[in-house]
Amino acid sequence: MKNILILGSLPEDEKSKQLYTKLISILTRFTENISSPLDTTAFKGGDRERYTRAFEKVKEADLIIGELSSPSTGQGMELREAISLEKKLIIIAKAKSKVSGLVRGCPAVKEIIFYRNMDDLQEKLELAFEKV
């Protein structure tokens, strides 16, 4: 896997930042080229540049992981672009989160993982990577 893109709502608090930080640390086992909402938060460009950057990241990705515990409109746009480009998708969400039926039924989605905590997520992601 060369490039992994993590899609998710922008981190609004320390807990959501920790989620992405942990997710990145899990994924570094598979590649060092990982983009996440943490990068987006640090990006200093304007709206047009942010839009262009987001879709370039989707194009460059070999695998996209969508964190859908807190869905957002921008994330939905990125997921749709990924589907159009026939990218492989893994969806993750905290246990008891509602994942849309459209997402659950999408043929590009290779795996949907509901996790209880970071250890559970790590274990399930490692199994998913064996399949993808």
Side-chain angles (χ1 to χ4, degrees), residues 22-61:
K22 179 63 176 176
L23 189 51
I24 291 166
S25 74
I26 293 168
L27 296 173
T28 55
R29 177 173 170 217
F30 305 101
T31 186
E32 292 182 15
N33 298 318
I34 303 166
S35 296
S36 78
L38 296 175
D39 303 321
T40 304
T41 302
F43 183 71
K44 300 296 183 201
D47 290 343
R48 181 71 64 170
E49 291 138 329
R50 186 177 299 272
Y51 176 89
T52 301
R53 179 188 171 281
F55 289 101
E56 283 301 316
K57 292 289 185 186
V58 171
K59 285 179 192 173
E60 294 168 358

Side-chain angles (χ1 to χ4, degrees), residues 1-130:
M1 211 61 53
K2 286 173 77 177
N3 296 308
I4 297 176
L5 174 61
I6 302 167
L7 299 179
S9 59
L10 292 178
E12 296 180 0
D13 57 23
E14 198 56 39
K15 190 172 183 177
S16 57
K17 287 179 187 174
Q18 288 173 359
L19 166 68
Y20 293 124
T21 301
K22 179 63 176 176
L23 189 51
I24 291 166
S25 74
I26 293 168
L27 296 173
T28 55
R29 177 173 170 217
F30 305 101
T31 186
E32 292 182 15
N33 298 318
I34 303 166
S35 296
S36 78
L38 296 175
D39 303 321
T40 304
T41 302
F43 183 71
K44 300 296 183 201
D47 290 343
R48 181 71 64 170
E49 291 138 329
R50 186 177 299 272
Y51 176 89
T52 301
R53 179 188 171 281
F55 289 101
E56 283 301 316
K57 292 289 185 186
V58 171
K59 285 179 192 173
E60 294 168 358
D62 298 304
L63 174 70
I64 296 175
I65 297 178
E67 209 299 327
L68 298 186
S69 298
S70 301
S72 70
T73 303
Q75 175 189 50
M77 291 174 66
E78 290 167 311
L79 283 173
R80 181 65 195 126
E81 182 70 11
I83 293 162
S84 295
L85 294 171
E86 299 179 354
K87 300 292 181 173
K88 294 177 187 169
L89 298 171
I90 294 176
I91 302 301
I92 63 173
K94 293 176 188 164
K96 299 183 182 177
S97 296
K98 183 173 177 8
V99 174
S100 164
L102 287 176
V103 172
R104 291 191 320 266
C106 177
V109 174
K110 303 302 178 198
E111 188 85 23
I112 298 177
I113 297 170
F114 290 96
Y115 62 93
R116 295 180 310 277
N117 55 46
M118 289 296 104
D119 292 334
D120 185 41
L121 176 59
Q122 181 169 352
E123 183 179 314
K124 290 176 178 177
L125 263 178
E126 288 174 358
L127 290 172
F129 268 80
E130 290 176 15

